[in-house]
Amino acid sequence: MRKDRGQRGLFEYRDQWIGQEPGRPGFYRYWYEDGSRRVKRKALDAVDLREAKDELIELLGRAPESSKAPSHVSLADVLAHYKDHYAEPKGYSQMAAARRAAQLVLQALLTFIPSPTVADLTRTNQRRVWTHMAREEELSAKSIMTYMISVRAAINYAAVPQIITIAGEEQEVQLLDAPVSIFCNQEEIAEHIGGSVSTGREYIPTFQDLGRWIDAIEEEDDFRYVIIALNTCARNEAIFDLRISKQWNREFGTIDLNPVGRRQTKKRRPVIRATTNLAAWLEHWGDDRPVRQYQDTVEKRLNKLGKPTVAEDGTITDVGLDMPEMTCYTLRHFMATNMRRASFPVSREQRSKWLGHKVSEGSSTTDWYEKFDPDYLEQPMRATEEIIAKLQKHTKRRLFAPSTKANGKVRVIEGGNL
């Protein structure tokens, strides 16, 4: 039985290794012989280490490449595997994004590679893909980066064993034995395609403008989205994922914006206090899934709302609300900005927790206990109610629920802490 001697010599390949002997130039190959239980050696012809490595590999024969190697696995299969078994269960929006990323990248690769494998995603080929997406699809560097991130996620997913259901039975599946590097740096993409790097959103509507925008909403689900966004500052997907029975803790008055079983990502979903107003709306709606329509449907309507109507020849036929920069995501920026301007101080740490940003202070144990404290995130909750009360003065649409629970009321203050 061969003894495990750990890493041996200058280079090891298929249970043999290269080394040198004192007083003799050149290299030897060594191996352990189970029968005699001794290490054997034989001189190599090579005079430098690189040649010695090549000689050893030639003598022993190159190991056959795994059927799961990137050069053997179809890229289309990997992208479909991710879409079907990871993105689709997450919801329509994530599935649609994964499908679009796969379509764009495969379409670009097929222009110069007939049947692309994962190994074909070399850095050079990825840059050719960027060029194709920018030229043929007129995509910005940020959009290309987003789609490449989806491709990277698909490849990393395929390189890890996954438990999936096939014909009603759970099976362990791993398509790739190793991932490849996918480059998603927006600055690099922008430099290559001759584009620009996106900047943070600077547009913040006035209370008057946002009031006009809300009054123009026609669909009930669009209005529900706005109410939840104003009361939580949550990101879009968190609002559409919200399930009241599993995420609203009525006893402690908190809402966990991260559904059970979902892994936290860089875009952290926090546990926040439910404002009295939001709690009343949730009771009034009586739906476990408050926003009932697909994310893509609601977002498209809200992002279009307020923008001018443009004819086929490019002329503007109607300026609409004259708010071309307004999107549903603007609501988060509006609330975050005005929270800093509240009539009483809301600490930076409290704002960060409310928005789901990383907070270095404290520990996970402390955070856990804080969520059951009656004063947990009290300041940003009160600031939120104050902002919505001020916004109500500029909109005809009712922003406060028709009724509130007997044990609660909306707390709006003019200044100072209670």
Side-chain angles (χ1 to χ4, degrees):
M1 185 175 180
R2 183 179 68 83
K3 295 180 180 178
D4 185 4
R5 297 176 180 270
Q7 187 175 0
R8 297 160 294 192
L10 303 172
F11 173 73
E12 185 176 354
Y13 179 72
R14 304 188 74 176
D15 286 334
Q16 294 198 20
W17 62 98
I18 295 173
Q20 291 180 297
E21 292 294 329
R24 183 193 180 277
F27 299 89
Y28 286 86
R29 63 184 177 97
Y30 300 82
W31 67 95
Y32 183 80
E33 188 176 76
D34 286 332
S36 63
R37 296 188 179 183
R38 296 180 62 184
V39 173
K40 300 287 187 177
R41 74 181 185 197
K42 190 170 183 179
L44 295 171
D45 296 330
V47 294
D48 65 44
L49 181 58
R50 186 175 64 179
E51 291 178 355
K53 291 178 181 179
D54 292 340
E55 186 178 346
L56 179 63
I57 292 171
E58 191 67 28
L59 284 168
L60 299 180
R62 296 186 179 274
E65 194 170 35
S66 165
S67 62
K68 296 180 181 180
S71 58
H72 284 235
V73 180
S74 164
L75 178 60
D77 289 344
V78 165
L79 297 174
H81 177 63
Y82 177 74
K83 178 183 72 67
D84 295 341
H85 300 293
Y86 181 84
E88 189 169 356
K90 292 290 184 180
Y92 175 80
S93 178
Q94 192 151 354
M95 179 193 67
R99 182 171 57 202
R100 179 60 173 158
Q103 177 188 9
L104 289 169
V105 172
L106 287 173
Q107 184 175 284
L109 284 170
L110 286 169
T111 61
F112 56 93
I113 299 175
S115 301
T117 66
V118 176
D120 288 321
L121 282 173
T122 62
R123 189 163 195 161
T124 299
N125 285 344
Q126 288 182 53
R127 292 164 76 89
R128 296 172 74 177
V129 167
W130 303 344
T131 300
H132 184 276
M133 287 196 284
R135 183 180 62 242
E136 302 299 328
E137 303 293 335
E138 298 182 349
L139 295 178
S140 66
K142 182 179 180 181
S143 295
I144 294 171
M145 175 194 70
T146 301
Y147 290 125
M148 296 305 293
I149 288 174
S150 180
V151 172
R152 180 178 63 187
I155 289 173
N156 289 339
Y157 181 81
V160 176
Q162 306 294 341
I163 304 298
I164 64 176
T165 302
I166 300 176
E169 294 185 2
E170 286 191 341
Q171 296 186 25
E172 182 175 310
V173 175
Q174 182 178 351
L175 298 189
L176 282 171
D177 58 16
V180 298
S181 297
I182 302 297
F183 301 92
C184 308
N185 184 280
Q186 187 182 169
E187 287 77 11
E188 181 184 352
I189 295 171
E191 182 179 358
H192 181 72
I193 67 174
S196 58
V197 176
S198 64
T199 56
R201 293 179 176 88
E202 297 180 357
Y203 173 69
I204 302 295
T206 63
F207 280 85
Q208 293 85 349
D209 284 344
L210 185 55
R212 290 191 299 113
W213 186 80
I214 293 174
D215 283 338
I217 294 173
E218 297 179 354
E219 297 289 336
E220 171 67 12
D221 284 270
D222 299 0
F223 177 69
R224 290 187 180 191
Y225 167 88
V226 170
I227 288 295
I228 297 172
L230 291 173
N231 280 277
T232 64
C233 274
R235 297 180 177 90
N236 293 4
E237 287 192 356
I239 295 175
F240 290 96
D241 287 346
L242 187 62
R243 299 296 181 269
I244 303 307
S245 60
K246 297 180 179 180
Q247 295 174 252
W248 181 20
N249 188 323
R250 287 175 169 83
E251 181 181 358
F252 293 100
T254 58
I255 292 181
D256 190 344
L257 294 172
N258 194 51
V260 176
R262 177 186 176 273
R263 181 178 59 84
Q264 287 283 15
T265 66
K266 288 168 58 177
K267 294 185 176 181
R268 184 174 179 80
R269 297 189 188 181
V271 176
I272 65 171
R273 293 208 75 79
T275 63
T276 308
N277 182 31
L278 180 58
W281 274 117
L282 296 178
E283 294 282 10
H284 175 72
W285 293 328
D287 285 315
D288 190 51
R289 178 186 178 188
V291 184
R292 301 155 297 182
Q293 296 185 8
Y294 283 126
Q295 178 175 350
D296 202 41
T297 303
V298 174
E299 282 185 350
K300 281 183 178 178
R301 284 198 299 256
L302 288 175
N303 289 340
K304 184 179 179 181
L305 187 66
K307 291 180 173 55
T309 303
V310 182
E312 291 184 2
D313 61 0
T315 59
I316 297 176
T317 58
D318 183 6
V319 296
L321 298 177
D322 196 23
M323 298 172 66
E325 296 179 89
M326 182 70 192
T327 68
C328 54
Y329 201 79
T330 305
L331 297 170
R332 176 175 164 89
H333 294 275
F334 173 84
M335 294 301 293
T337 299
N338 283 284
M339 192 174 288
R340 295 197 298 269
R341 303 169 180 169
S343 61
F344 56 91
V346 180
S347 71
R348 182 174 183 177
E349 180 185 353
Q350 293 272 296
R351 294 197 310 268
S352 294
K353 285 186 176 182
W354 188 268
L355 292 166
H357 295 162
K358 183 177 181 181
V359 179
S360 57
E361 295 86 351
S363 66
S364 57
T365 304
T366 302
D367 290 343
W368 188 86
Y369 282 112
E370 279 185 350
K371 294 166 190 174
F372 305 104
D373 188 326
D375 294 328
Y376 173 71
L377 294 182
E378 176 78 9
Q379 291 177 329
M381 182 186 74
R382 288 165 52 196
T384 296
E385 291 177 336
E386 179 185 272
I387 296 165
I388 295 175
K390 183 176 179 180
L391 181 61
Q392 181 68 84
K393 298 176 182 179
H394 302 282
T395 178
K396 299 175 183 178
R397 191 125 187 201
R398 175 181 284 180
L399 301 182
F400 291 96
S403 61
T404 57
K405 292 179 69 67
N407 63 346
K409 64 179 182 178
V410 175
R411 291 169 291 181
V412 179
I413 64 172
E414 296 298 327
N417 284 307
L418 293 180

